[in-house]
């Protein structure tokens, strides 16, 4: 690598983050100055569309106010540098940041070098700086097209939601379609009618001499469990009261016992749909003292006035198998053994990493990407300094470089032996359209074992790095080999004379034993650990039942999405790109269109209504196929197969036509009503569900406006009865009522609207918080408006100084400097001439744009490399 020798003539390297800058600086040496841009420095304006639809959708970009100081510092450094290396990330977003930097800093083309690398290691940095390139304008154009498409949807469609649903709402080209997935799943669950079915499972043992005692011990063992409420979206008819599945498997293996299901009865496949069928089979096979316990489950109606599923009976059968003379006899009538290979999964890409981290670690997509970013940019390792531990984490490729394959194969052979090393590297196929030039997510150095650097990592960094490290090593190991045994057990004698002896009832038990661990030596057994181990069996061998358990079940509706399954659905449907999944999931929650409850997504009333309005007004925009098509066209822009302006125009022209008619087609959400089963407390008429201005369902009298009866509802759609609390209103002394609002729980006076006193509730204890103390006088005049006094107020982050006329005058200053300001007043130096300017700049909201400039990455305003 060519290095500058004089500091004044050093080359400037610009990356996104300080952590990445620190790691790269370690490898570059004194001839380079590495600085961070802190991400994007320019964007479309915040309070204007910033896209000229009449002139080829030319965008107007502004420097972010939060980046003004950074841009000025980078400009100064660039003027002193002999060359500028833009080392931003290698995806579209990184390319766009590099392109924006060239224009924000006004960099001469002759000084700009573009360097990209997949991992922050000495060799990767060396190679990148030895062979710098130019900014890829095709990538820039693809990112710019995506940004403009999203802006057009946001600024053109969102105002209709303000008119037809509620103010403050927003639509998104991708996020709205993601919400639709969850809303559609919610509708499927609401409309689902469960169907009843039964299973009959037996516990058999080969220890015939101890059958009676083992049956007693098994019954006592089952009683050791703790009651566990059934999980969301399961088909379990009753709450579980048994020990864990792992403990049960261990007990069965220790006592030469195994499970088997009844598969044939009365010469036919055993598929009972009613209690009578299950009872007949249980009695015929020797279940004695049969008891039937029945309860009725009343399903809860949906808060959106959806259909009620019919009530269903919850039935539990109990008894014990007969033992002794005259009881049914069971023998092994068939044994088959075969081997099965479990091949290792591929290395992680962005979506599979998010799914695995959610399923195995409980990490959300955004948390996963934040931790992965830290591992990529560098972690301080004692004796080594900042080390980038993984390759770039935004990738859809399953490809591994030749060097990576050599590294991991040498490690496998050295650590585990030749039996664990395939003759050729394992290859994995990426989805169509994946960037094969990129790599999968992997450790940069397989010798950095998770355990060896654990002290240098936070707990969440360690867990994610361990997940990535194990997956990378396991993906290049040999398959695991399983011996699968299937045993058929027939009832040679039953207690039902009507059964044909030539067609005896049959049970089937399956066991899986690990013959060779292969890749599971590193990855772990995972789901295979749920399989039972069969004892040694032989054809004709007699076995005895310890337990016969008929159980009632119901077919299950489609499960609600978890973060992992939603990521998988987004990828399958082609909605967005893996690098955007985390922000999509965060956005739809922040907008309150969906809620995450017990790690599953539920559509809110607002999400359902907004989706319905968007489908009503913009059916093409909300179609999965249309969204997938746009993503494919963005890929074509990146591959220089289509001009970005044409793609945007093909999208916008139909949208513009829909905008002309959508307002007429879309009815107002608050004018729509769904019937309920509740009566108005004022006039007795039936109430209906309506949407409030804040997007929540509530009950309203069907005679409105003749009757203004209304009530808030709970999650099940039932009216919430307001209850008086023991706390008295500090203003009028009347009892306070605990309520819930957009900012959380609070206490309101029961004398409302005559008394409008409210008190915030403590989020931990739920008790009313004392009112905030009144502002304290300082004796200082406001340096901004010169009309009012500065006062001391209390906020979430402690005390601060503000104008007494706040928020009309938004002057704020730090309270820690009050003594300094008072000294300035006593010296007749208050206010200093520049303090209002400084305070105003510091108080500016993050994200506010300034320094307007206009530029476009199309062929008319920027040179195209092709």
């Amino acid at each position: 690598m060519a290095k500058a020798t004089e500091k004044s003539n050093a080359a400037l390297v610009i990356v996104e983050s300080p952590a990445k800058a620190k790691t790269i600086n370690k490898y570059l040496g004194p001839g380079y100055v590495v600085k961070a841009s802190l991400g994007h420095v320019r964007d479309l304006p915040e309070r204007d569309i910033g896209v000229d639809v009449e002139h080829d959708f030319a965008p107007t970009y502004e420097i972010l106010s939060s980046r003004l100081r950074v841009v000025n510092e980078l400009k100064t450094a660039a003027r002193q540098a002999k060359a500028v290396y833009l080392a931003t990330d290698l995806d579209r977003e990184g390319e766009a940041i590099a392109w924006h930097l060239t224009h924000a800093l006004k960099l001469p083309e002759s000084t700009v070098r573009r360097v990209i690398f997949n991992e922050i290691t000495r060799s990767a940095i060396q190679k990148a700086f030895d062979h710098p390139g130019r900014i890829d304008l095709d990538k820039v154009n693809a990112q710019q097209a995506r940004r403009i498409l999203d802006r057009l949807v946001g600024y053109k469609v969102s105002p209709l939601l303000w008119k037809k649903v509620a103010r403050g709402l927003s639509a998104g080209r991708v996020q709205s379609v993601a919400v639709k997935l969850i809303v559609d799943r919610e509708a499927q669950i609401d409309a689902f009618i469960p169907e009843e079915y039964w299973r009959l499972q037996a516990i058999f043992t080969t220890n015939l001499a101890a059958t009676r005692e083992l049956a007693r011990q098994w019954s006592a063992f089952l009683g050791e469990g703790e009651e566990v409420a059934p999980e969301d979206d399961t088909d379990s008819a009753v709450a579980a009261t048994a020990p864990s599945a792992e403990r049960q498997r261990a007990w069965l293996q220790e006592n030469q016992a195994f499970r088997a299901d009844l598969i044939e009865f009365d010469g036919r496949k055993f598929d009972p749909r009613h209690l009578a069928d299950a009872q007949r089979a249980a009695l015929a096979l020797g279940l004695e003292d049969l008891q039937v316990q029945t309860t009725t489950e009343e399903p809860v109606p949906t808060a959106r006035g959806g259909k009620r599923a019919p009530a269903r009976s919850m039935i539990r059968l109990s008894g014990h198998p007969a033992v002794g003379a005259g009881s049914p006899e069971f023998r092994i009538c068939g044994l088959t053994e075969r081997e099965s290979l479990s091949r290792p999964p591929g290395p992680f890409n962005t979506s599979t990493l998010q799914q695995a981290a959610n399923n195995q670690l409980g990490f959300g997509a955004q948390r996963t990407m934040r931790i992965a970013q830290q591992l990529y940019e560098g972690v301080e390792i004692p004796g080594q300094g900042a080390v980038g531990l993984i390759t770039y984490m935004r990738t859809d490729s399953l490809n591994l470089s030749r060097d990576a394959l050599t590294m991991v194969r040498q490690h496998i052979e050295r650590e585990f032996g030749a039996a664990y090393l395939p003759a050729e590297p394992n290859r994995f196929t990426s989805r169509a359209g994946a960037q094969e030039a990129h790599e999968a997510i992997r450790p940069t150095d397989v010798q950095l074992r998770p355990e060896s650097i654990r002290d240098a990592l936070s707990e969440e960094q360690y867990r994610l790095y361990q997940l990535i490290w194990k997956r990378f090593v396991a993906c290049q190991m040999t398959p695991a080999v399983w011996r699968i045994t299937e045993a058929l057990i027939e009832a040679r004698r039953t207690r039902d004379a009507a059964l044909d002896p030539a067609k005896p009832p049959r049970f089937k038990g399956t066991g899986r034993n690990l013959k060779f661990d292969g890749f599971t030596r590193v990855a772990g057994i995972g789901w295979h650990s749920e399989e039972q181990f069969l004892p040694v069996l032989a054809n004709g061998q007699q076995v005895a039942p310890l337990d016969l358990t008929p159980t009632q079940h119901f077919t299950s509706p489609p499960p609600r999405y978890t973060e992992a399954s939603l990521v998988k659905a987004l990828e399958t449907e082609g909605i967005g790109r893996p690098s955007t999944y985390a922000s999509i999931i965060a956005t739809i929650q922040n907008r309150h269109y969906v809620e995450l409850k017990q790690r599953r997504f539920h559509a809110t009333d607002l999400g359902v209504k907004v989706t319905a309005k968007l489908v009503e007004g913009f059916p093409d925009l909300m179609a999965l196929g249309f969204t997938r098509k746009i993503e494919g066209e963005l890929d074509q822009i990146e591959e220089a197969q289509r001009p970005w302006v044409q793609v945007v125009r093909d999208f916008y022209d139909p949208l513009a036509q829909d905008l002309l008619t959508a307002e007429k087609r879309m009815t107002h959400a608050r004018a729509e009503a769904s019937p309920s089963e509740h009566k108005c407390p004022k006039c007795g008429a039936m109430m209906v569900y309506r949407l409030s201005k804040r997007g929540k369902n509530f009950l309203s009298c069907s005679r409105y406006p003749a009757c203004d009866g209304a009530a808030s509802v709970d999650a099940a759609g039932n009216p919430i009865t307001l209850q008086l609390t023991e706390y008295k209103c500090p203003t009028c002394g009347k009892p306070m009522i605990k309520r819930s609002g957009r900012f959380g729980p609070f206490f309101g006076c029961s004398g409302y609207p005559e008394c409008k006193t409210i008190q915030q509730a403590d989020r931990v204890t739920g008790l009313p918080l004392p009112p905030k103390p009144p502002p304290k006088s300082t004796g200082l005049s406001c340096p901004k408006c010169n009309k009012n006094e500065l006062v001391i107020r209390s906020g979430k982050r402690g005390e601060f100084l503000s104008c007494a006329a706040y928020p009309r005058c938004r002057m704020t200053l730090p309270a820690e400097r009050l003594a300094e300001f008072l000294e300035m007043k006593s010296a007749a130096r208050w206010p200093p001439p520049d303090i209002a300017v400084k305070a105003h700049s510091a108080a500016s909201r993050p994200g506010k744009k300034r320094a307007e400039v206009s530029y476009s990455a199309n062929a008319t305003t920027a040179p195209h490399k092709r």
Side-chain angles (χ1 to χ4, degrees):
M1 185 188 305
K3 292 186 178 181
T5 56
E6 296 181 11
K7 189 70 175 179
S8 61
N9 200 30
L12 173 64
V13 181
I14 304 178
V15 298
E16 295 100 318
S17 74
K20 186 177 179 180
K22 183 177 182 181
T23 308
I24 290 176
N25 192 56
K26 182 181 74 169
Y27 299 122
L28 290 179
Y32 296 84
V33 175
V34 186
K35 291 185 175 292
S37 71
L38 304 181
H40 276 282
V41 295
R42 296 199 314 173
D43 196 5
L44 297 172
E46 181 183 22
R47 301 190 182 280
D48 182 62
I49 188 170
V51 178
D52 189 345
V53 297
E54 301 297 331
H55 297 88
D56 287 341
F57 306 97
T60 298
Y61 291 113
E62 297 179 349
I63 296 176
L64 301 171
S65 62
S66 59
R67 299 290 183 268
L68 284 173
R69 189 174 69 176
V70 171
V71 169
N72 289 332
E73 290 177 354
L74 292 176
K75 279 183 178 179
T76 301
R79 283 195 295 266
Q80 299 172 354
K82 67 169 187 176
V84 178
Y85 290 86
L86 301 176
T88 50
D89 291 342
L90 68 160
D91 57 6
R92 290 177 191 166
E93 209 68 25
E95 206 72 25
I97 292 174
W99 180 78
H100 282 295
L101 282 167
T102 63
H103 296 291
L105 305 182
K106 296 180 171 56
L107 299 175
E109 187 176 346
S110 59
T111 67
V112 176
R113 312 283 189 272
R114 176 73 170 113
V115 290
I116 58 174
F117 35 82
N118 186 54
E119 58 187 70
I120 305 178
T121 60
R122 185 177 300 278
S123 60
I125 300 299
Q126 176 89 39
K127 183 177 179 181
F129 278 78
D130 283 347
H131 301 90
R134 304 174 77 87
I135 292 176
D136 186 343
L137 288 180
D138 293 321
K139 277 188 176 180
V140 175
N141 288 333
Q143 189 276 344
Q144 180 169 245
R146 177 190 294 277
R147 186 73 184 95
I148 290 172
L149 290 175
D150 292 344
R151 176 55 65 100
L152 290 172
V153 172
Y155 267 76
K156 297 292 186 178
V157 179
S158 296
L160 279 179
L161 292 181
W162 288 40
K163 293 181 180 179
K164 300 298 184 179
V165 184
R167 290 189 62 82
L169 300 180
S170 59
R173 181 184 62 86
V174 176
Q175 292 91 335
S176 295
V177 182
V179 174
K180 184 176 183 295
L181 283 178
I182 298 172
V183 170
D184 288 347
R185 180 60 56 88
E186 198 78 31
Q188 293 170 8
I189 293 171
D190 287 346
F192 183 80
I193 305 293
E195 296 182 2
E196 180 184 8
Y197 70 97
W198 286 77
R199 292 177 60 189
L200 197 157
Q201 189 175 78
I203 304 292
F204 291 109
T205 181
T206 58
N207 189 352
L208 303 182
T211 299
R212 194 183 299 273
E213 177 59 21
L214 287 175
R216 185 193 64 78
Q217 292 180 13
W218 172 250
S219 179
F221 173 72
L222 292 181
E224 296 176 4
E226 297 180 0
E227 185 169 344
V228 180
E231 294 183 1
D232 185 31
D233 300 327
T234 66
D235 66 351
S236 176
V238 293
T241 56
S244 68
E246 185 177 352
R247 287 183 61 201
Q248 291 187 46
R249 285 192 298 272
W251 191 97
L252 294 174
Q253 187 175 1
E254 181 182 343
N255 291 281
Q256 302 174 38
F258 61 98
R259 298 180 188 274
D261 287 294
L262 183 62
I263 60 171
E264 293 180 17
F265 187 79
D266 201 13
R268 296 186 300 273
K269 177 184 177 181
F270 184 66
D271 187 23
R273 296 291 168 173
H274 305 286
L275 169 63
D277 298 330
Q279 282 181 301
R280 182 192 174 196
L283 292 170
L285 295 169
L287 194 65
E288 296 184 332
D289 300 328
L290 190 63
Q291 296 181 5
V292 181
Q293 296 175 322
T294 304
T295 58
T296 300
E297 181 188 75
E298 291 289 345
V300 177
T302 68
R304 291 175 288 279
K307 294 181 179 179
R308 291 173 59 110
R312 64 186 187 187
S313 59
M314 310 298 291
I315 303 171
R316 180 194 289 259
L317 290 179
S318 60
H320 63 270
V323 179
S327 61
E329 178 183 310
F330 301 90
R331 291 188 179 274
I332 305 295
C333 64
L335 282 173
T336 59
E337 286 191 357
R338 58 184 175 87
E339 287 189 354
S340 174
L341 296 181
S342 292
R343 303 189 182 279
F348 285 130
N349 58 21
T350 302
S351 64
T352 55
L353 176 63
Q354 291 173 352
Q355 293 171 54
N358 186 251
N359 288 328
Q360 299 180 40
L361 308 179
F363 292 176
Q366 209 166 27
R367 182 182 181 188
T368 298
M369 296 308 291
R370 172 177 56 80
I371 302 167
Q373 184 91 30
Q374 296 166 0
L375 297 176
Y376 166 71
E377 292 182 344
V379 175
E380 285 288 333
I381 306 295
Q384 300 184 47
V387 177
L389 294 177
I390 65 171
T391 54
Y392 191 57
M393 63 286 163
R394 294 183 179 90
T395 175
D396 53 7
S397 174
L398 297 180
N399 186 41
L400 293 171
S401 69
R402 183 179 302 175
D403 291 343
L405 289 171
T406 300
M407 172 180 65
V408 71
R409 285 173 62 82
Q410 290 175 350
H411 175 82
I412 292 169
E413 186 169 25
R414 181 173 59 252
E415 296 294 324
F416 306 111
Y420 292 86
L421 185 68
E424 297 291 334
N426 295 330
R427 305 288 183 181
F428 302 92
T429 303
S430 303
R431 67 166 180 81
Q435 297 292 324
E436 288 298 329
H438 297 171
E439 268 200 88
I441 303 170
R442 61 167 177 83
T444 57
D445 184 357
V446 76
Q447 298 305 316
L448 289 174
R449 299 169 179 267
E451 297 77 15
S452 67
I453 59 173
R454 182 166 192 171
D455 291 343
L457 304 177
S458 66
E459 182 61 23
E460 60 182 9
Q461 287 174 340
Y462 168 75
R463 295 176 68 194
L464 189 66
Y465 179 63
Q466 183 184 54
L467 193 69
I468 295 169
W469 189 93
K470 286 186 174 183
R471 183 71 165 251
F472 171 59
V473 174
C475 83
Q476 291 303 316
M477 296 178 74
T478 50
V481 182
W482 297 84
R483 179 182 289 109
I484 299 176
T485 304
E486 292 182 351
L488 292 178
I489 305 100
E490 65 181 17
R492 296 285 179 88
R493 184 171 61 238
T494 70
R495 291 187 168 183
D496 190 336
L499 294 178
D500 185 352
K503 298 176 180 179
R506 289 188 174 185
F507 289 81
K508 181 179 179 180
T510 303
R512 184 189 296 263
N513 293 21
L514 187 62
K515 183 178 180 182
F516 175 68
D517 54 4
F519 76 93
T520 65
R521 180 155 178 186
V522 170
I525 293 179
W527 63 270
H528 292 301
S529 62
E530 300 176 6
E531 301 287 345
Q532 68 176 337
F533 297 89
L534 295 185
V536 177
L537 301 172
N539 268 315
Q541 181 180 5
Q542 185 175 352
V543 293
L546 305 180
D547 190 11
L548 285 169
T549 308
T551 52
Q552 182 192 34
H553 300 266
F554 292 90
T555 54
S556 300
R560 288 185 171 88
Y561 288 109
T562 62
E563 283 210 31
S565 59
L566 181 59
V567 165
K568 186 174 183 179
L570 292 173
E571 183 176 39
T572 300
E573 297 293 344
I575 300 172
R577 280 292 179 261
S579 59
T580 65
Y581 295 158
S583 63
I584 291 171
I585 292 172
T587 298
I588 62 179
Q589 292 180 85
N590 293 338
R591 291 178 178 174
H592 305 292
Y593 295 153
V594 301
E595 295 175 328
L596 196 60
K597 300 178 181 178
Q598 297 180 338
R599 297 183 62 186
R600 292 183 182 271
F601 284 110
H602 295 246
T604 64
D605 300 328
L606 181 61
V608 171
K609 190 60 68 175
V610 166
T611 299
K613 295 294 107 181
L614 289 175
V615 170
E616 185 179 352
F618 302 92
D620 289 339
L621 182 67
M622 297 295 287
L624 300 182
F626 182 74
T627 306
R628 182 165 51 245
K629 174 176 174 288
I630 293 298
E631 294 296 340
E633 291 178 349
L634 292 174
D635 290 342
Q636 291 177 348
I637 296 172
E638 182 174 343
E639 295 161 3
Q641 296 176 6
R642 293 198 65 186
W644 74 267
V645 173
Q646 187 61 52
V647 170
V648 175
R649 180 175 290 113
D650 290 347
F651 172 88
Y652 181 73
D653 287 348
L655 177 66
Q657 292 298 317
D658 281 344
L659 286 166
L660 295 175
T661 59
E663 186 168 358
K664 295 180 180 178
R665 292 199 306 268
M666 294 168 66
T667 56
H668 201 296
R670 291 171 63 187
E672 298 174 340
S674 301
S676 80
E677 299 178 350
H678 305 287
K679 291 185 176 181
C680 176
K682 285 192 173 183
C683 70
M686 298 305 295
M687 302 190 81
V688 294
Y689 292 105
R690 297 187 188 274
L691 200 70
S692 72
K693 63 181 180 180
R694 293 178 181 170
K696 295 282 187 179
N697 264 352
F698 73 101
L699 283 169
S700 170
C701 182
S702 58
R703 296 180 58 243
Y704 179 85
C707 175
D708 62 356
S712 299
V713 296
D714 59 20
N718 297 316
I720 297 174
T721 303
L722 298 179
Q723 294 182 346
L724 300 179
T725 67
E726 59 184 297
Y727 307 110
K728 302 297 182 182
C729 174
T731 302
C732 68
K734 292 182 179 180
M736 301 287 279
I737 298 173
K738 191 169 185 180
R739 300 174 180 269
S740 181
R742 58 186 301 191
F743 301 111
F746 69 95
F747 290 84
C749 181
S750 59
Y752 180 87
E754 289 76 18
C755 178
K756 299 181 180 180
T757 302
I758 62 171
Q759 287 181 276
Q760 294 299 318
D762 188 287
R763 293 184 180 273
V764 178
T765 65
L767 302 177
L769 293 171
K772 288 185 178 181
K776 303 175 187 176
S777 173
T778 65
L780 295 169
S781 62
C782 173
K784 184 179 179 183
C785 67
N786 295 315
K787 296 179 181 178
N788 301 284
E789 180 187 17
L790 283 182
V791 295
I792 304 174
R793 298 181 187 272
S794 296
K796 292 182 178 180
R797 297 177 179 84
E799 292 185 335
F800 66 98
L801 304 180
S802 79
C803 180
Y806 183 89
R808 288 191 301 276
C809 175
R810 305 187 70 86
M811 180 65 189
T812 59
L813 289 167
E816 306 88 67
R817 299 184 61 189
L818 178 59
E820 176 189 346
F821 297 155
L822 291 173
E823 288 182 8
M824 295 170 70
K825 180 184 178 184
S826 63
R829 292 188 292 108
W830 181 263
D834 63 339
I835 192 167
V837 175
K838 290 182 178 179
H840 177 70
S841 176
S844 294
R845 288 178 298 166
K848 188 176 181 181
K849 314 331 188 264
R850 291 184 182 175
E852 181 171 314
V853 294
S854 180
Y855 207 82
S856 172
N858 60 25
T860 62
T861 55
H864 198 286
K865 72 173 188 178
R866 298 179 188 275

